[in-house]
Amino acid sequence: MNKKIQLLSILFLGISSVAFSQIKEEKLVLNKKREPEVKKIEKKKTSVETIKNYPPEEKSQNPVKYNITDVPAVSDFKTSTIQGEDVAPKFDATAQNNYVQFGMGNYGKILLDGNVSKTLENKFEVGADVHLLSTSGLKNDYDWKSKQTSASIGAFLNSYGEKGKFNINAEYGLNNYNYYGIYALEPSADVDLKQKVNQFKVNGYYDFYSNEILNDVRVKSSFLKDHFDAQENQVSILANFSKHAVELGKSGINLNADLGVGLEAVKTDFEIGDKNSSNFFNADLAPKVTFRKGESYLMLGSSFSFLNAKNSNNQMEQMKNNKSYWFPKAEFQFAAAKEFKFYGGVDGGLKLNTYGDLLQANPYVLSDQYLKPTETKYHFYVGLRGDIDETLKYDFSAGFGKMKDIMFFKANGLFDNVYTLNRSAYDFANTFSAVYDDGNVSDIKGSVQYFPLENLMIDGEVRFTKYNLKNYENIYNVPLLNASIGAKYTMLDKKLLLGFKGIFASDRTTNSYAIEGVGSPAMIFQSTENTNDKVGGYADLNLSAEYKIHKNFSIFALGNNLLSSKYQTYKGYKVLGAQILGGVKITF
């Protein structure tokens, strides 16, 4: 399987577009003209016919429209242990692609962003961007190092042909940080807590302008290595076939037919602890048909997954699992009016949990994980959405599902009980491991966008998620409630842009450890686990401002975590307090 992955990776190295599990740091908004992440450009499951008005100069003549995107609450914000959220403003109306911006702030923060692109002959566009963020960390809270540096550099190419658009993107990312969340021991200040993750991503995307037969093709690849020599190679290929807008007689009903075909291979090897190794190859087939009349539709489909999985470690021989899955997929919408659209459906699927995904959700996971896919057997949902006078858009829904191998993070204790503080960076009860359990999930979510004025936009999202697990009394490190509220306001003839973003989360249950030496003199450590500890909720308020002094020169200021609450994202891991950063931006 390793040879298959290497062969697929080499084959598609040159034709790739968007990044796997992008590391979400406090990155100032980059006005890039490139394809967004694959997960944000997948076609809607309603199979609504898409009229693709290319080339781009023709698209620019169309009136601007806004749409609610159904994404989880605070999906674009991961509460970093080092940074707050990025609420940097951007001037959409006068965006330029070539710029550099530099900022400095308290906690030793240094921020650098740059982007350059150029349109060549035959509608080719090439470009590159670079990002750097560094902070000295919480020197007054921890004796040991909590500094962090993240950097990325990427290049992209867009091509607009007669039949479709081609995009290729390559990016190298570095995250250099420390396992600083020690709460049960008192090591010396010079303790080595270093972790470093290097990731190289190459992706490609071709989108045909029409929805005739072959609709689009996507290729994604990722190569990851960390400080402890863990390695992960991943490659996937997805092709969408479709035939849209087939009229059924004179009934006014149109038929859309779609078929998604996907292949994904992941190989992960760890070199510490139990030295877990996993190898997955998954094939997906997702046919569906949609009957549509006006704004109402009925979609019927299903998906099939064929998984070949292999797991091994120092404690067990290789385990093989070849299994086929079937998942239901259906959705309806009844549009009583554009203000009130009732919808509902059922879906399911198989998600491969990779080391890269785990690091994205929790950078403090141990570099030795037993990886298993998560299966959503089914998920029923109903909802109401609408557009009121092009001023208010809303979408509210509730759902219930049954899942197998739900993945969440459990805190690790000590791996070595010998009485010493001269231990590995991950051996201070300061790391986490993925654990799995079966159970049910209930969720309620809503999103609203409000446009009271031409120069004012307000949006909000909320998500309530409740898990009932088979073996664990509580799910660890998952809040019951996530919410966000934001606003953007322009004034002074669009020279000044103000922004606000508030992020809220409820308490989380976690396990934790109390550790003490045993004996006189102490020869071993004794560890006591608390399976019902709490990590407090938080409110993270952020403000931003940018003033355009000249068409090519702006100054900006960012205020993050303005309540100065050093809340914890995971047990022991505090975030920075109130942060103020100022800088300049030059466009050319």
Side-chain angles (χ1 to χ4, degrees):
M1 183 59 65
N2 189 16
K3 293 182 178 179
K4 292 182 180 178
I5 296 174
Q6 292 177 351
L7 183 59
L8 285 171
S9 302
I10 294 172
L11 180 62
F12 296 102
L13 185 63
I15 52 170
S16 23
S17 97
V18 287
F20 259 113
S21 53
Q22 179 182 353
I23 298 176
K24 296 180 181 176
E25 295 292 350
E26 184 182 335
K27 182 178 289 189
L28 290 177
V29 176
L30 301 179
N31 296 313
K32 306 171 187 173
K33 292 174 60 180
R34 61 173 176 172
E35 203 66 26
E37 294 183 34
V38 166
K39 64 182 180 182
K40 296 182 180 179
I41 59 177
E42 292 178 349
K43 300 205 179 295
K44 295 182 179 179
K45 52 190 171 186
T46 55
S47 299
V48 179
E49 179 187 8
T50 303
I51 300 175
K52 302 177 182 178
N53 189 17
Y54 293 107
E57 57 265 27
E58 297 178 10
K59 290 181 67 177
S60 65
Q61 299 173 6
N62 295 336
V64 175
K65 298 181 180 180
Y66 60 90
N67 293 287
I68 284 179
T69 303
D70 183 15
V71 295
V74 303
S75 63
D76 288 333
F77 167 60
K78 180 172 69 69
T79 50
S80 170
T81 56
I82 297 298
Q83 297 83 238
E85 202 241 342
D86 166 37
V87 290
K90 63 176 181 178
F91 289 88
D92 293 323
T94 58
Q96 298 188 33
N97 292 320
N98 300 310
Y99 64 91
V100 61
Q101 47 196 3
F102 175 78
M104 297 182 67
N106 59 337
Y107 292 103
K109 293 180 80 171
I110 298 176
L111 178 65
L112 173 66
D113 276 310
N115 177 268
V116 59
S117 65
K118 181 175 180 59
T119 302
L120 307 176
E121 297 180 359
N122 300 322
K123 298 181 181 178
F124 274 91
E125 180 189 24
V126 295
D129 66 80
V130 62
H131 169 70
L132 171 69
L133 177 65
S134 179
T135 174
S136 59
L138 292 161
K139 292 183 176 180
N140 296 329
D141 291 72
Y142 300 98
D143 293 332
W144 42 88
K145 294 179 181 178
S146 57
K147 65 180 181 180
Q148 179 177 353
T149 299
S150 66
S152 65
I153 182 170
F156 62 92
L157 180 148
N158 292 325
S159 174
Y160 303 92
E162 295 181 358
K163 296 183 178 180
K165 174 184 177 181
F166 173 71
N167 174 266
I168 183 171
N169 176 284
E171 180 179 300
Y172 167 74
L174 167 68
N175 193 11
N176 193 350
Y177 58 100
N178 292 274
Y179 287 129
Y180 66 89
I182 302 174
Y183 61 91
L185 294 171
E186 290 293 332
S188 61
D190 60 352
V191 60
D192 179 15
L193 302 174
K194 183 178 181 179
Q195 167 65 305
K196 181 171 65 174
V197 179
N198 297 276
Q199 191 168 26
F200 181 62
K201 297 165 282 188
V202 184
N203 304 279
Y205 176 66
Y206 192 92
D207 187 10
F208 290 89
Y209 297 153
S210 66
N211 287 336
E212 296 292 333
I213 312 302
L214 184 57
N215 198 340
D216 59 66
V217 178
R218 312 170 199 192
V219 179
K220 304 190 295 182
S221 61
S222 173
F223 311 89
L224 180 149
K225 186 173 182 178
D226 74 1
H227 179 62
F228 301 98
D229 293 326
Q231 296 188 54
E232 182 170 81
N233 297 331
Q234 183 175 11
V235 62
S236 68
I237 307 169
L238 175 64
N240 290 312
F241 301 87
S242 62
K243 179 66 176 178
H244 286 186
V246 178
E247 297 185 5
L248 301 180
K250 298 182 180 180
S251 62
I253 298 176
N254 288 337
L255 170 67
N256 297 335
D258 294 273
L259 175 64
V261 180
L263 300 173
E264 183 175 11
V266 185
K267 189 177 191 308
T268 311
D269 295 296
F270 297 100
E271 295 299 327
I272 63 173
D274 292 335
K275 296 187 177 181
N276 279 282
S277 178
S278 61
N279 203 330
F280 299 107
F281 181 81
N282 186 47
D284 285 314
L285 193 66
K288 63 181 178 181
V289 293
T290 303
F291 303 92
R292 183 177 184 87
K293 185 175 183 179
E295 293 295 319
S296 300
Y297 61 83
L298 172 65
M299 183 273 285
L300 300 173
S302 61
S303 67
F304 303 90
S305 292
F306 309 94
L307 176 68
N308 175 269
K310 298 176 183 177
N311 289 87
S312 64
N313 59 37
N314 286 344
Q315 308 300 320
M316 69 178 187
E317 297 294 331
Q318 187 178 81
M319 295 178 56
K320 297 181 180 180
N321 181 24
N322 295 305
K323 190 174 181 180
S324 300
Y325 301 85
W326 173 82
F327 303 103
K329 287 189 180 294
E331 184 175 279
F332 75 89
Q333 175 173 287
F334 173 70
K338 71 175 183 177
E339 293 84 0
F340 302 101
K341 302 174 182 178
F342 301 91
Y343 67 93
V346 60
D347 58 19
L350 189 69
K351 180 185 184 301
L352 301 184
N353 293 305
T354 68
Y355 184 43
D357 291 339
L358 268 58
L359 287 170
Q360 183 75 359
N362 181 354
Y364 311 109
V365 295
L366 177 69
S367 182
D368 180 37
Q369 299 293 318
Y370 185 80
L371 300 175
K372 297 170 63 177
T374 295
E375 176 188 358
T376 301
K377 291 180 175 294
Y378 59 80
H379 178 253
F380 291 99
Y381 57 92
V382 293
L384 176 67
R385 55 193 171 206
D387 182 351
I388 300 176
D389 196 28
E390 296 187 352
T391 301
L392 176 69
K393 279 208 164 190
Y394 67 92
D395 190 341
F396 296 96
S397 65
F400 175 82
K402 184 176 181 64
M403 302 178 68
K404 185 177 180 181
D405 291 325
I406 302 168
M407 191 278 292
F408 54 98
F409 297 106
K410 180 180 180 181
N412 296 320
L414 295 181
F415 298 99
D416 184 355
N417 290 321
V418 175
Y419 192 88
T420 177
L421 294 179
N422 183 22
R423 53 183 64 240
S424 301
Y426 50 83
D427 197 9
F428 291 90
N430 58 339
T431 60
F432 300 81
S433 287
V435 291
Y436 308 86
D437 200 358
D438 302 340
N440 301 326
V441 58
S442 303
D443 61 272
I444 300 173
K445 59 184 179 180
S447 59
V448 175
Q449 292 177 341
Y450 181 45
F451 302 83
L453 302 171
E454 181 182 358
N455 58 341
L456 175 63
M457 188 274 285
I458 302 172
D459 64 86
E461 294 179 332
V462 63
R463 186 182 185 104
F464 170 91
T465 309
K466 172 67 176 177
Y467 290 91
N468 292 312
L469 302 179
K470 180 179 179 181
N471 299 308
Y472 286 85
E473 183 178 351
N474 297 294
I475 191 168
Y476 291 149
N477 296 297
V478 177
L480 187 67
L481 178 70
N482 281 309
S484 70
I485 183 171
K488 290 183 180 181
Y489 183 65
T490 58
M491 56 189 302
L492 302 180
D493 194 25
K494 295 185 178 182
K495 289 185 177 180
L496 177 64
L497 178 60
L498 303 175
F500 165 77
K501 191 69 174 290
I503 309 296
F504 311 92
S506 62
D507 293 352
R508 287 148 289 163
T509 300
T510 186
N511 66 315
S512 62
Y513 294 89
I515 299 171
E516 60 181 357
V518 178
S520 181
M523 298 301 294
I524 62 172
F525 279 118
Q526 179 175 287
S527 179
T528 304
E529 183 180 10
N530 180 359
T531 59
N532 194 29
D533 199 358
K534 300 293 181 182
V535 176
Y538 59 84
D540 191 328
L541 303 184
N542 307 270
L543 293 174
S544 68
E546 181 173 347
Y547 182 71
K548 189 175 287 294
I549 298 175
H550 182 268
K551 67 177 182 178
N552 298 111
F553 185 78
S554 303
I555 57 175
F556 64 85
L558 304 176
N560 298 125
N561 193 16
L562 294 178
L563 295 180
S564 195
S565 173
K566 295 179 182 179
Y567 58 86
Q568 298 181 62
T569 53
Y570 291 93
K571 180 70 174 181
Y573 286 95
K574 295 179 182 179
V575 304
L576 300 180
Q579 306 148 59
I580 304 297
L581 182 144
V584 296
K585 176 181 178 180
I586 300 173
T587 58
F588 51 90

